[in-house]
Amino acid sequence: MTKVRLNKSAYSESSKKSIGFEYLGEFYEDISYRCKKCCKSTVYTAQDQKVTFEVKKQYMWQQRFLCDGCYKEMNLLKNTLFEMEQYYCNNKEQVLKDEAFLRKWLGLLNEYPRYWKKANHSRIIFVRKALGLA
């Protein structure tokens, strides 16, 4: 098991104000876990933790639950959904006539919760209605 020295002063302000901040140890240690999407055993390395909390300034109680591959897939999916939403907002009439776009959008909206993210139920219902499925 790898250990990497922890630097509390490099944490985000929200982490520094968090309950438990004062009890942090001196080292990060590798954490083994199973990906909630693909069930693959993986490790949140001590070095990755250091980067996450001290360089990227992410909140200290954040936990990993997806492997690197599933996390990258989830981010790609999230970005694609954002782009599709933007495209819809700028081209409403055209999009509502584009069955292929709507079917792809619905498929991606339904896929997103498989990465342990909250489903956008209102958008799913809207797209289903636009496709005549609701």
Side-chain angles (χ1 to χ4, degrees):
M1 181 174 289
T2 307
K3 287 185 174 186
V4 175
R5 185 159 298 279
L6 188 141
N7 177 5
K8 286 178 157 182
S9 65
Y11 272 52
S12 68
E13 289 305 312
S14 62
S15 291
K16 289 176 184 176
K17 294 175 186 175
S18 176
I19 293 175
F21 176 77
E22 64 274 9
Y23 300 113
L24 288 173
E26 293 184 41
F27 296 94
Y28 297 105
E29 294 181 11
D30 292 348
I31 300 171
S32 296
Y33 66 100
R34 186 171 300 281
C35 177
K36 287 194 174 188
K37 172 126 186 350
C38 71
C39 298
K40 180 175 108 178
S41 292
T42 190
V43 175
Y44 188 17
T45 67
Q47 186 59 44
D48 283 346
Q49 292 172 59
K50 185 170 186 72
V51 170
T52 299
F53 303 126
E54 296 179 17
V55 177
K56 294 180 179 179
K57 307 287 187 195
Q58 293 184 2
Y59 186 62
M60 67 182 270
W61 294 117
Q62 170 186 304
Q63 294 181 335
R64 288 265 177 109
F65 56 90
L66 296 174
C67 66
D68 288 341
C70 289
Y71 182 76
K72 287 175 185 171
E73 289 172 11
M74 186 266 306
N75 274 328
L76 180 60
L77 177 57
K78 182 179 174 181
N79 291 335
T80 302
L81 284 169
F82 178 79
E83 290 168 3
M84 293 181 93
E85 184 74 29
Q86 293 300 109
Y87 184 75
Y88 163 72
C89 289
N90 295 324
N91 304 282
K92 290 179 181 178
E93 288 182 32
Q94 179 184 348
V95 167
L96 293 174
K97 296 175 187 174
D98 187 344
E99 184 177 344
F101 181 90
L102 291 170
R103 287 195 179 281
K104 179 179 179 185
W105 195 11
L106 182 60
L108 295 177
L109 286 166
N110 286 323
E111 178 68 18
Y112 194 58
R114 294 187 180 123
Y115 291 89
W116 292 81
K117 292 298 193 177
K118 185 177 177 186
N120 187 342
H121 295 292
S122 60
R123 187 53 81 201
I124 290 170
I125 291 167
F126 171 80
V127 175
R128 287 182 56 79
K129 283 182 179 178
L131 286 166
L133 301 173

